[in-house]
Amino acid sequence: MFSFKRVVADLKVFGKASIRSKEGFFFTLVFPIILILLFGAIFSGGSSGPTTVYVQNLDNGPISAAFISALNGTTAITLVQAPANQNFTQYLSSHSSTDGIVIPANFSYDYEHSQSVNVTVYGNPASTTSAVVYGITSEIVNSFNLRGASATIGVAQQVAVSSSYKYIDFLVPGLIGFAALTSPMFALVNVSSSYKRDKIFKQLSLTPLTETEWLVSKVFWYVSMTAISFVLMSLTGIYLFGAHIVFSWGVGLFIVIGPFMFVSLGMLVGTATNSPESAAVVGNLVTFPMMFLSGTFFPVSSMPIYLQNVARVLPLYYMIEGLTNVMIYDNYYPALLDFLVLAVITAVIFVMAVRLFKWRED
Amino acid sequence: MSAIEVEGLKKSYGQLRAVDGISFSVKVGEVFSLLGPNGAGKTTTIEILEGLRDKNEGKVTVLQMDPWSKGYELHKRIGVIPQGFKFLDYPTPREAISYYATLFGVKVDPDEMLRRVILEEAANTYFLHLSGGQKQKLGMALSLVNDPELVFLDEPTTGLDPQARRAVWEVIRKLKGEGRSVMLTTHYLEEAEELADKVAIMDHGKIVASGTTSEIVASHGSGQRMTVKAGEPLHEYLVKSTKLEVGYDGREEVTIRLRDKDDALTALRAIEESGCEWGDLAVRRDSLEDVFLRLVGPGVAGEEEAS
């Protein structure tokens, strides 16, 4: 019978042991803060953002089609067509983006009749990608103007959102995801393999504590540690680097599901391998690609398409994307999808870990 | 009444027969010692009795329960210190005892438990900083938290200094005094002689001798022996001039097996007549160690058991 009393007893002993261990304390709570200070200092003032560009074409003529075709011909941006009947600013926000282009109605007619017409470029003034989008649009406008009898097309700029986003805004959810990955993952890989080697699991198996109770206590511990990391990193981001963060209940979903996922994955790796040494190797093989490909330090959208496809099979991608959606864009629908994907992966890995994790041997 | 009953127990790992049809029983309140070299099958046997491994064949009952199918119930009534007891690095002994008490759902006074195993002085020291002997004592304290009827001690004094070893012996004597049954495996034959009511010697998965230590020595020993400090020439003289069973260890010790009084007189006369230099003459009876070495061979250091 599952007992919360035993879970709490195990949580107390494991928690005290983790806090008293200097290495455990450093990597759980101090290291993520150092990272945020480091990256915040390096990139403060710089900017980043999604490179996907949404285009709303309000004109049905041949010139706007040629204009979009020319934009598509560049390799620096990826165009996604937005429906003509939607409010473009809301559309961008609902897609967690700041970069977009609106081609006005009568664009083809005005161009063909040498009448002035403006293409509006939406963007975030602090973002380098927005500057790139503006630059590319201006280049194409120039080439169209050179083809025509006189310069008729202009470029108008529009700020996509009321607040401008900075690199630190994207870094904070990325590093919270990083903390939710590394601390439980490395600790559980190490704990599960070294407990096996030192026969501590055998010792525990001779008490009424069950495998599931033991695992649940680890989940509670790392959820608590991730929540503390979240508060410390958010405060550091806000007060030292002026990060814009939305605090809402949606963050809580990811603070719970993330460590749950990585405790289970760490346990699975530690249980499936034969020694602490091989567990460390497999653990690193699983952890490091996730660390760098899931959008922790660089936006996934700035990566080549094939790497973006790789990122989409990594659970940390959904954790960081979900956190970014709720903490930056306050955009719940896609965040909920991210949460559901994570929940399914977590359930599968937790069940596998519990099944493979046996105190006793046949 | 028996605390443990084992009949025809077998366990294999692939082609390796770790335990090969052993039978024995341990009475309630008895200290039973299982001896044998590394790889003899002791740990596998103990782990089957503790319900940590399943058997292939045979019948095993511990406190009238099948340890594999009733492991969860059994663990509430037994105490175990596995070989080379280890724990988390940072709890103190006092915290570790409170933790175990909560897991077992019992109320114990951690200080009283520490007093029982003579560990009060390290009550607040992290496990990481305890000495080898103190760690073993904590293992014993934890194995007693649930007030067990039967205690399994798997090589509890391996690696300890003589003082720490004697302190652990004292705790084992107390357990016996409290009427608990104890299953003890050890490398130290002196330990088994000191503590065990009954002994079984295992080798290659089989029990090669069992009974009280005096029964084993009587049935498997070679009686009395005379030892003389002397060189190879005396050994050669005795072999040539008498019909005695004589041995030489290559390190200035000649050994003569004495079947009766006449053998003793013959040996003394021949030593005197040899004209060789000799000294330190002694007569002694076989110890458990002599019998053990005769039964399992001198090369006791072997492969580790499967774990």
Side-chain angles (χ1 to χ4, degrees):
Chain A
M1 176 92 82
F2 188 89
S3 157
F4 264 107
K5 212 172 170 183
R6 289 198 291 267
V7 171
V8 172
D10 189 67
L11 184 62
K12 268 168 72 179
V13 162
F14 185 80
K16 278 183 183 170
S18 300
I19 291 293
R20 286 168 182 169
S21 153
K22 286 175 190 139
E23 300 86 0
F25 181 76
F26 177 81
F27 281 106
T28 304
L29 293 177
V30 181
F31 187 57
I33 302 291
I34 291 176
L35 280 181
I36 206 163
L37 288 172
L38 195 67
F39 279 85
I42 292 170
F43 293 104
S44 59
S47 56
S48 182
T51 53
T52 300
V53 180
Y54 295 88
V55 178
Q56 189 176 48
N57 187 3
L58 303 175
D59 176 65
N60 290 320
I63 304 301
S64 60
F67 190 83
I68 288 171
S69 172
L71 282 170
N72 257 331
T74 66
T75 52
I77 56 173
T78 307
L79 284 193
V80 176
Q81 292 258 18
N85 59 353
Q86 286 203 14
N87 178 306
F88 193 59
T89 310
Q90 283 178 5
Y91 182 84
L92 283 179
S93 178
S94 69
H95 285 77
S96 305
S97 177
T98 56
D99 296 320
I101 300 168
V102 174
I103 301 172
N106 300 322
F107 178 80
S108 298
Y109 179 86
D110 288 345
Y111 179 81
E112 283 167 345
H113 293 85
S114 299
Q115 292 179 20
S116 293
V117 61
N118 276 347
V119 168
T120 309
V121 176
Y122 284 73
N124 169 9
S127 162
T128 50
T129 56
S130 294
V132 168
V133 173
Y134 182 78
I136 288 169
T137 311
S138 299
E139 284 295 315
I140 291 167
V141 162
N142 284 341
S143 73
F144 270 67
N145 285 339
L146 286 172
R147 275 188 243 159
S150 57
T152 54
I153 308 176
V155 180
Q157 271 188 293
Q158 179 83 36
V159 174
V161 286
S162 54
S163 62
S164 60
Y165 298 136
K166 294 186 291 183
Y167 176 73
I168 190 74
D169 299 337
F170 295 96
L171 184 65
V172 172
L175 285 182
I176 291 167
F178 173 86
L181 162 74
T182 52
S183 185
M185 185 75 189
F186 286 134
L188 263 289
V189 165
N190 178 49
V191 161
S192 56
S193 56
S194 61
Y195 275 29
K196 202 160 58 174
R197 178 197 59 199
D198 295 339
K199 298 182 180 175
I200 295 175
F201 282 142
K202 266 186 190 170
Q203 183 69 25
L204 292 175
S205 77
L206 295 158
T207 71
L209 186 73
T210 64
E211 292 99 324
T212 309
E213 287 165 354
W214 185 86
L215 203 52
V216 167
S217 103
K218 303 302 156 295
V219 171
F220 278 155
W221 174 252
Y222 284 104
V223 166
S224 312
M225 288 301 100
T226 306
I228 294 172
S229 284
F230 163 75
V231 172
L232 292 177
M233 281 193 275
S234 298
L235 293 179
T236 308
I238 291 167
Y239 290 108
L240 286 185
F241 300 109
H244 297 99
I245 291 167
V246 179
F247 290 99
S248 66
W249 58 267
V251 174
L253 291 177
F254 292 94
I255 297 294
V256 171
I257 198 75
F260 195 159
M261 157 87 216
F262 296 117
V263 161
S264 309
L265 190 58
M267 192 62 213
L268 187 64
V269 169
T271 309
T273 46
N274 292 324
S275 67
E277 292 75 20
S278 57
V281 171
V282 177
N284 287 343
L285 280 174
V286 173
T287 310
F288 279 100
M290 259 199 277
M291 223 187 263
F292 294 107
L293 296 177
S294 302
T296 308
F297 304 107
F298 324 100
V300 172
S301 56
S302 67
M303 295 176 187
I305 294 295
Y306 74 94
L307 276 183
Q308 291 189 31
N309 292 333
V310 172
R312 284 191 180 89
V313 299
L314 303 172
L316 185 62
Y317 167 82
Y318 296 96
M319 168 93 183
I320 293 174
E321 195 188 59
L323 280 172
T324 306
N325 277 324
V326 289
M327 290 176 71
I328 299 179
Y329 299 111
D330 204 13
N331 197 0
Y332 278 83
Y333 179 66
L336 212 55
L337 279 179
D338 292 322
F339 175 78
L340 286 176
V341 171
L342 266 182
V344 170
I345 300 173
T346 304
V348 170
I349 292 182
F350 182 76
V351 169
M352 282 170 72
V354 167
R355 287 213 168 167
L356 206 65
F357 176 35
K358 292 280 171 240
W359 303 127
R360 307 198 301 179
E361 295 166 56
D362 290 341
Chain B
M1 197 164 132
S2 295
I4 299 174
E5 284 282 355
V6 177
E7 230 179 279
L9 174 64
K10 288 186 182 177
K11 176 72 183 179
S12 298
Y13 302 108
Q15 297 296 309
L16 176 75
R17 279 196 178 173
V19 180
D20 194 7
I22 63 170
S23 301
F24 63 89
S25 69
V26 179
K27 286 185 188 152
V28 170
E30 196 170 68
V31 177
F32 187 94
S33 183
L34 202 55
L35 305 176
N38 286 336
K42 303 187 301 290
T43 298
T44 298
T45 304
I46 289 281
E47 288 185 348
I48 291 170
L49 296 178
E50 292 164 353
L52 295 180
R53 280 184 196 278
D54 200 6
K55 60 186 186 296
N56 295 137
E57 278 180 52
K59 194 180 168 201
V60 175
T61 53
V62 178
L63 302 177
Q64 287 76 53
M65 283 185 267
D66 174 63
W68 183 252
S69 61
K70 298 281 180 193
Y72 196 77
E73 288 81 6
L74 179 69
H75 294 158
K76 292 176 184 169
R77 294 174 58 193
I78 64 170
V80 175
I81 308 184
Q83 223 178 78
F85 172 76
K86 285 191 181 166
F87 199 63
L88 280 72
D89 284 343
Y90 287 98
T92 64
R94 187 177 277 134
E95 288 168 347
I97 290 169
S98 299
Y99 168 55
Y100 261 52
T102 312
L103 295 185
F104 278 106
V106 294
K107 281 196 173 173
V108 295
D109 176 2
D111 294 324
E112 170 55 28
M113 294 299 297
L114 292 170
R115 255 194 303 279
R116 281 175 73 181
V117 296
I118 322 163
L119 192 61
E120 313 96 295
E121 79 283 1
N124 294 316
T125 307
Y126 293 147
F127 183 79
L128 180 72
H129 300 135
L130 296 178
S131 69
Q134 288 173 325
K135 285 178 181 173
Q136 281 304 110
K137 286 184 193 172
L138 175 61
M140 295 196 93
L142 294 181
S143 73
L144 299 176
V145 162
N146 57 329
D147 194 20
E149 297 161 51
L150 169 63
V151 184
F152 289 90
L153 306 172
D154 196 2
E155 299 185 8
T157 59
T158 299
L160 301 189
D161 60 51
Q163 202 183 3
R165 185 175 303 158
R166 292 198 180 263
V168 172
W169 288 4
E170 208 41 55
V171 177
I172 296 172
R173 285 197 189 96
K174 274 192 202 171
L175 295 179
K176 181 176 163 58
E178 291 164 1
R180 301 177 205 273
S181 312
V182 177
M183 180 81 185
L184 169 74
T185 67
T186 178
H187 271 135
Y188 302 112
L189 299 153
E190 181 199 1
E191 188 164 289
E193 276 186 309
E194 277 283 332
L195 303 169
D197 299 311
K198 275 192 186 164
V199 170
I201 298 176
M202 274 188 90
D203 190 30
H204 293 103
K206 293 178 187 292
I207 289 180
V208 291
S210 66
T212 62
T213 50
S214 50
E215 282 168 359
I216 291 175
V217 170
S219 56
H220 298 276
S222 59
Q224 289 185 316
R225 285 177 298 142
M226 180 184 286
T227 55
V228 187
K229 192 178 177 192
E232 178 70 23
L234 177 64
H235 172 245
E236 284 174 6
Y237 180 83
L238 292 173
V239 170
K240 278 181 195 166
S241 61
T242 68
K243 290 180 179 175
L244 294 169
E245 197 180 300
V246 187
Y248 180 63
D249 70 351
R251 288 176 299 175
E252 300 287 297
E253 188 173 277
V254 175
T255 309
I256 306 149
R257 187 180 172 200
L258 306 176
R259 283 162 297 195
D260 48 37
K261 281 180 190 169
D262 287 345
D263 277 357
L265 293 170
T266 308
L268 285 172
R269 264 196 302 271
I271 291 167
E272 188 58 31
E273 287 164 9
S274 70
C276 300
E277 278 196 26
W278 61 275
D280 290 351
L281 185 145
V283 175
R284 68 182 186 91
R285 184 175 285 279
D286 267 357
S287 65
L288 184 62
E289 186 170 349
D290 297 315
V291 174
F292 180 86
L293 292 174
R294 183 169 302 124
L295 290 169
V296 305
V300 290
E303 293 163 24
E304 282 297 319
E305 281 186 46
S307 56

